[in-house]
Amino acid sequence: MTAALLAVFIGSSIRLAMPLLLAAIGELISERAGVLNMSIEGMMLAGAFGGAVGAWATGSPSLGLLVGLLAALPVALIQAFLTVVLRANQIVTGLGLNILVLGATTLAYREIFGARSRETIPGFPAWTPPLLGDIPVFGEAVFRQVWLVYAAIVVVILAAFVLRQTAIGIALTAAGDDPRTLERAGLSVEALRFGAILMTGMLAALAGTFLSIGDIHTFTEGMTNGAGYLAIAAVIFGNWTVGRTVVACFVFGAATALQFQLPAIGLDVPNALLIMMPYLLAFLAVAGLVGRQTAPRALATPFRR
C-alpha cells in the first residue's frame, strides 16, 4: 500500500468511526448509569432524518442539526419514561422503539421526498485545520473532515473527564454499580438514569446528523444500517471504559473502510466478507472473545425503592 492510499484509508477510517464514536460515548454514559439503551439505533435514525429534513426545508445545515437533535428527544424521553419510571424491560422497549422509528421515518421520508429518492440536501463542508493540512501526503487526506469530527474528539475528552474526575461521574457509576448505596447517600437513582438516557439521545442524534448532513448529504431509508448496535458492541468491546471504547470504534471504522480500500489496491476479496467484517468483530466482542468483560453490576436491572 502506497503512502497516498494509506493516508486515504486513515482518513476514511476516521470519518466512518465518528458516528459510531458519538453514539458509543452516549451509550457508555447510559450503561455506566445502569441502563442498557437498545433504542440508540432509533435515536440515531431519528436524528439523521430530522437533520436531513431540517436542512432540506431551511437550506441551512446548522438548523438541520438543531432539528435533528430535537427529533431524537421524544425517543429518548419515551425510553427514559418506560425504563426508569415504569421499569419496563430495557431490551424489549429499546427494540420496540427502533422498529417504531424505522417505520415512522420510512413513511415520512416517502411522503416528503418520494419513494427511492436520492435528493441531495445542504450539508456541512469538509474543513482542514490550519497547519495540519500542510503535512505532506497525509494532510488533506487525513485531516480534511467535517467539523463534527473534531467536535466528537472534544466530546470524548469531556466524557472521560466527567466520568473519572467529577462528582456527577462518580454518581453515574454508582447508579450502575451500587444504586442502593447511592440512594442511601441521598441522591436520586431515577434522576441520574433519566438524565443519562437524555444525554445518550443527544449524542446519538449528533451521530445521526453526522451521517445525513455531515457525510453523504442525503437521507435513505434505514440509513443507520445497524450502526447503533455496533455502538453498543463497541462499549462491550471497550469493557465500559472511554479509552477502549474509542479504540473499538476506530477498529470498526477501519473494518468498514477496508470495503473500499482492498479493491483499490488490487486484492480480490468477496464483497460480502468485507461487509461482514465490522459485524464479525462486534460478534467477537459480545461473545467475550476479546478479553474478560466487567459490566456494571446493576446494568439492565430496574431500580425499585
Side-chain angles (χ1 to χ4, degrees), residues 9-10 12-28 40 44 152 156 207 227-239 241-257 278 281-282 285:
F9 172 67
I10 294 173
S12 298
S13 298
I14 294 173
R15 176 176 55 82
L16 293 168
M18 281 306 145
L20 293 179
L21 182 58
L22 286 166
I25 291 299
E27 181 66 23
L28 175 63
I40 192 167
M44 286 183 68
V156 170
Y229 299 115
L230 282 179
I232 296 173
V235 174
I236 299 172
F237 193 102
N239 202 22
T241 63
V242 174
R244 289 181 58 175
T245 298
V246 171
V247 172
C249 290
F250 279 105
V251 169
F252 292 165
T256 305
L281 292 173

Side-chain angles (χ1 to χ4, degrees), residues 214-239:
D215 189 8
I216 63 175
H217 297 185
T218 191
F219 181 84
T220 58
E221 297 177 14
M223 71 178 303
T224 50
N225 198 28
Y229 299 115
L230 282 179
I232 296 173
V235 174
I236 299 172
F237 193 102
N239 202 22

Side-chain angles (χ1 to χ4, degrees), residues 2 26 36 42 54 61 93 109 125 135 152 172 198 225 241 300:
T2 65
L36 179 57
T93 55
Y109 162 78
I135 299 175
L172 280 171
L198 294 184
N225 198 28
T241 63

Side-chain angles (χ1 to χ4, degrees), residues 99-172:
I99 296 170
L100 175 63
V101 173
L102 176 60
T105 54
T106 298
L107 176 61
Y109 162 78
R110 293 180 180 181
E111 289 295 324
I112 296 173
F113 297 106
R116 299 184 180 181
S117 171
R118 293 294 185 271
E119 183 170 346
T120 302
I121 59 176
F124 294 112
W127 168 76
T128 306
L131 301 180
L132 293 178
D134 298 330
I135 299 175
V137 182
F138 290 88
E140 284 292 312
V142 174
F143 297 106
R144 185 170 178 78
Q145 305 280 358
V146 177
W147 67 267
L148 288 170
V149 169
Y150 301 100
I153 296 173
V154 175
V155 167
V156 170
I157 295 172
L158 287 176
F161 175 78
V162 169
L163 288 173
R164 299 186 63 178
Q165 303 293 335
T166 67
I168 187 66
I170 295 172
L172 280 171

Side-chain angles (χ1 to χ4, degrees), residues 223-291:
M223 71 178 303
T224 50
N225 198 28
Y229 299 115
L230 282 179
I232 296 173
V235 174
I236 299 172
F237 193 102
N239 202 22
W240 291 271
T241 63
V242 174
R244 289 181 58 175
T245 298
V246 171
V247 172
C249 290
F250 279 105
V251 169
F252 292 165
T256 305
L258 283 175
Q259 298 176 26
F260 313 100
Q261 197 68 27
L262 290 182
I265 61 178
L267 291 180
D268 186 16
V269 180
N271 190 51
L273 178 62
L274 297 176
I275 294 173
M276 183 180 69
M277 283 182 62
Y279 302 95
L280 177 61
L281 292 173
F283 171 77
L284 295 176
V286 174
L289 300 180
V290 293

Side-chain angles (χ1 to χ4, degrees), residues 185-198:
L187 297 178
S188 172
V189 176
E190 292 92 342
L192 283 166
R193 289 185 172 183
F194 206 100
I197 294 172
L198 294 184

